Amino acid sequence: MGWFSSSPSTPTPQAQAATPTSLDGTYTPLKRNERKACWEARDTYFKCLDKNNILDAVKDADAALTNCPSENAKYEQDCATSWILYFKQKRVADFNREAQLKKLESQGAVPIAQAQGESKWKLW
């Protein structure tokens, strides 16, 4: 088990196959073109989820797999295992953040820097 992880230290066989490793068995970071392919696959997958009104692909995994099987397969093929869940969770968090900001703005809230008439980049 890792220091900051609740998961076991031994990854599943699927995760081992999807995670690039070097000759000595350590993790090898994705190259620039591999990251770009991952981001493109992620964006395509998320567009499919949007088209099918699925926000949380973790909670609604069955619906996501049913409605976007090819996009999901490409996403899982092109992205590092640790990125897949992260991006899915970040999608929900970003949606909730934007919804909360819109709610606050509708109630008359303004950003602190704007309310004080200052730049948000304040140097001493």
Side-chain angles (χ1 to χ4, degrees):
M1 184 181 293
W3 287 3
F4 301 106
S5 173
S6 61
S7 63
S9 61
T10 306
T12 64
Q14 295 166 329
Q16 287 176 336
T19 304
T21 56
S22 66
L23 294 175
D24 65 356
T26 59
Y27 173 75
T28 302
L30 297 176
K31 294 178 175 69
R32 180 180 298 168
N33 61 339
E34 294 170 328
R35 292 191 306 266
K36 184 177 178 187
C38 171
W39 297 329
E40 289 172 358
R42 175 203 60 192
D43 293 345
T44 302
Y45 178 59
F46 287 173
K47 284 179 188 174
C48 180
L49 293 177
D50 289 341
K51 185 174 70 173
N52 290 287
N53 296 318
I54 301 170
L55 173 63
D56 191 342
V58 175
K59 189 169 69 173
D60 300 326
D62 292 336
L65 286 172
T66 302
N67 292 303
C68 306
S70 61
E71 292 88 348
N72 182 60
K74 180 77 171 148
Y75 175 51
E76 291 188 358
Q77 172 191 336
D78 289 350
C79 292
T81 306
S82 61
W83 292 17
I84 295 169
L85 181 61
Y86 169 78
F87 284 141
K88 289 178 180 179
Q89 291 172 335
K90 185 175 184 322
R91 170 184 161 88
V92 176
D94 288 347
F95 177 85
N96 290 337
R97 179 181 175 273
E98 289 300 318
Q100 186 65 25
L101 288 173
K102 287 179 184 176
K103 178 182 173 186
L104 290 170
E105 287 175 358
S106 72
Q107 296 172 352
V110 292
I112 293 173
Q114 185 179 349
Q116 295 174 347
E118 300 175 2
S119 168
K120 68 181 191 180
W121 303 106
K122 183 176 180 181
L123 301 174
W124 310 135

